[in-house]
Amino acid sequence: VVFYIFVLFAGIQIAYYFIFLSVFFAKKSPKNESKSPISVIIFAKNSAENLRNFLPNILTQNYPNYEVVLIDNNSTDKTERVIKSFAKNHSNIRVVNVENNEAFLGSKKYALTLGIKAAKFDHLLFTEANCKPVSENWISEMSKNFSEEKSIILGYSTFAYEKSFANFLIRFYQFITSLQYLNFAKLGIPMMADGKNLAYKKTEFYNAKGYINHMKHEFGEDDLFIQDASNQTNTTFTIDKSSFTECANSSSFKNWFSILKKKVLLKKRYQFKHRFLLGLFSVSKLFFYVLGILLVFFYPYQIIITIIAAYFLVQFIVIGIAAKKMEEKNLIYFLPILDISFLLIQISIFIANLTSKPTRWK
């Protein structure tokens, strides 16, 4: 019985990895070449250095008609001064200064709401102050996917490469999460997004009543918004390399883990089918490893090792193809270790959230 349960979970894992390939072989739909005006919205809080480093990559985009909405959320560093210096030389910058509001103290969603309302154009493209487009055609590639039917565009964002194992862990976790939300969107089940590279029409924001359903939650301006606004027909994605964004790494692995721990709590607000699909991926991976290790000692080990080897072969092929397409080729060098680490991170987050409550973001 245990052996057949092990085979079942191995099959589920392999099925997920084949699903992860589907996005790369999707039939390409006709692109919109009309180049509608775009409002690029960037949230900034104490981001002076990041804006100095990354804003020029957005201000030099190869796109005929766009504005950059810079939201300064009550920063206490030199963010305001940096924004003003850029605004002097670029007429397409629109500045939104957000003062603390007692009802929405320090709320990113409140600040973003003001920025969205201030945006001049109906087509909105979001990124973060610590991110940069990898191409001067970023706006163009993201906007091509808008149509009368498609009003929400999911993009891919990665973290900058560094020579450290923590960097590999962070980028691999981001990579697998992105494969999940991109492929589920391709299958008509949009459930998540990455606010560091996300576009939608302003009308979708108002139809979903903005962030009102989760305004009190610290995070979720991307995935909880998708839960409210996305459906099978209005959401699409792009994996064109010119559409990617790259973000500076978190200050430390501990800081990244702390943020991730808070974001995972938001999954309680996902639709049941979304929680089931995401949970099945993690649970099947856990039981695959646990039962595989146990059965090596109590079952003909040749059979168990063959199944485990088949799993790693499929994973290596799928992740290899996906990593090459997503410009993450060096991730496959440590694949088995990263896969196990991915699972251990999820277990650690589960335990941490059981034993402690995250503090409020400031």
Side-chain angles (χ1 to χ4, degrees), residues 10-221:
I12 291 173
Q13 276 292 294
I14 290 172
Y16 268 98
Y17 281 106
F18 279 124
I19 289 173
F20 290 166
L21 273 182
S22 65
V23 74
F24 302 108
F25 299 100
K27 183 180 179 181
K28 292 186 178 181
S29 56
K31 299 298 183 180
N32 175 19
E33 301 292 346
S34 62
K35 294 191 181 298
S36 302
I38 298 283
S39 293
V40 179
I41 298 182
I42 303 174
F43 172 86
K45 185 177 180 67
N46 297 330
S47 304
E49 191 63 28
N50 283 326
L51 288 172
R52 287 193 193 99
N53 293 334
F54 302 129
L55 190 54
N57 296 82
I58 293 174
L59 294 171
T60 55
Q61 285 289 295
N62 181 23
Y63 200 77
N65 191 6
Y66 72 100
E67 67 171 354
V68 179
V69 181
L70 293 175
I71 306 169
D72 180 11
N73 190 26
N74 197 41
S75 297
T76 55
D77 66 349
K78 297 179 181 180
T79 295
E80 183 178 5
R81 187 185 305 176
V82 172
I83 289 176
K84 285 182 177 179
S85 67
F86 277 108
K88 285 181 181 179
N89 300 315
H90 297 274
S91 59
N92 63 335
I93 289 181
R94 184 182 297 268
V95 181
V96 178
N97 291 308
V98 181
E99 302 295 333
N100 270 339
N101 181 303
E102 290 186 7
F104 305 105
L105 186 62
S107 171
K108 180 178 182 180
K109 294 174 185 175
Y110 171 69
L112 283 171
T113 299
L114 297 182
I116 291 169
K117 290 182 176 180
K120 183 166 59 174
F121 303 125
D122 183 52
H123 294 75
L124 312 175
L125 177 55
F126 295 82
T127 189
E128 299 281 348
N130 67 329
C131 302
K132 67 176 182 179
V134 301
S135 163
E136 63 180 9
N137 295 314
W138 169 59
I139 297 177
S140 177
E141 289 299 331
M142 290 294 289
S143 67
K144 283 180 181 179
N145 296 275
F146 280 117
S147 66
E148 290 186 8
E149 184 182 48
K150 303 299 182 182
S151 52
I152 300 176
I153 318 299
L154 310 183
Y156 177 67
S157 183
T158 186
F159 288 99
Y161 168 74
E162 292 180 0
K163 290 184 178 180
S164 71
F165 186 65
N167 177 257
F168 275 95
L169 287 179
I170 292 171
R171 288 192 299 116
F172 185 75
Y173 198 100
Q174 174 78 5
F175 176 68
I176 295 296
T177 302
S178 299
L179 286 180
Q180 289 176 331
Y181 74 72
L182 290 170
N183 279 281
F184 285 133
K186 188 262 179 184
L187 296 174
I189 318 172
M191 62 176 72
M192 296 186 293
D194 190 334
K196 298 185 288 296
N197 197 5
L198 171 66
Y200 51 81
K201 293 181 180 179
K202 192 183 289 190
T203 49
E204 291 291 356
F205 181 78
Y206 291 127
N207 289 340
K209 298 181 181 179
Y211 307 125
I212 193 65
N213 293 330
H214 46 87
M215 182 64 81
K216 293 183 179 180
H217 289 269
E218 178 179 342
F219 298 101
E221 71 281 353

Side-chain angles (χ1 to χ4, degrees), residues 216-343:
K216 293 183 179 180
H217 289 269
E218 178 179 342
F219 298 101
E221 71 281 353
D222 41 21
D223 52 348
L224 292 187
F225 174 78
I226 293 298
Q227 288 286 312
D228 290 339
S230 284
N231 56 54
Q232 184 176 0
T233 58
N234 71 353
T235 304
T236 188
F237 63 91
T238 177
I239 54 169
D240 189 288
K241 294 177 183 179
S242 297
S243 70
F244 298 170
T245 60
E246 181 182 270
C247 303
N249 287 280
S250 302
S251 57
S252 66
F253 180 83
K254 181 180 179 181
N255 181 56
W256 172 80
F257 183 84
S258 176
I259 293 172
L260 186 63
K261 185 174 68 171
K262 298 174 186 178
K263 287 185 174 182
V264 166
L265 288 173
L266 299 181
K267 288 183 171 57
K268 294 179 180 179
R269 295 182 58 89
Y270 285 17
Q271 297 177 38
F272 173 77
K273 62 181 179 181
H274 298 160
R275 298 199 306 271
F276 175 80
L277 288 170
L278 293 170
L280 182 61
F281 178 71
S282 300
V283 170
S284 61
K285 187 181 291 292
L286 171 64
F287 280 97
F288 167 76
Y289 278 115
V290 171
L291 296 181
I293 292 171
L294 289 175
L295 286 170
V296 165
F297 299 100
F298 300 102
Y299 205 80
Y301 71 90
Q302 298 93 335
I303 298 176
I304 304 304
I305 291 176
T306 299
I307 295 173
I308 293 174
Y311 163 78
F312 280 123
L313 177 62
V314 169
Q315 185 189 56
F316 186 83
I317 292 172
V318 171
I319 297 300
I321 294 173
K324 184 177 180 180
K325 296 280 188 181
M326 308 293 274
E327 298 284 287
E328 299 280 10
K329 288 177 282 191
N330 54 13
L331 288 179
I332 64 173
Y333 300 149
F334 304 99
L335 189 52
I337 298 174
L338 291 175
D339 188 52
I340 295 171
S341 299
F342 175 87
L343 179 60

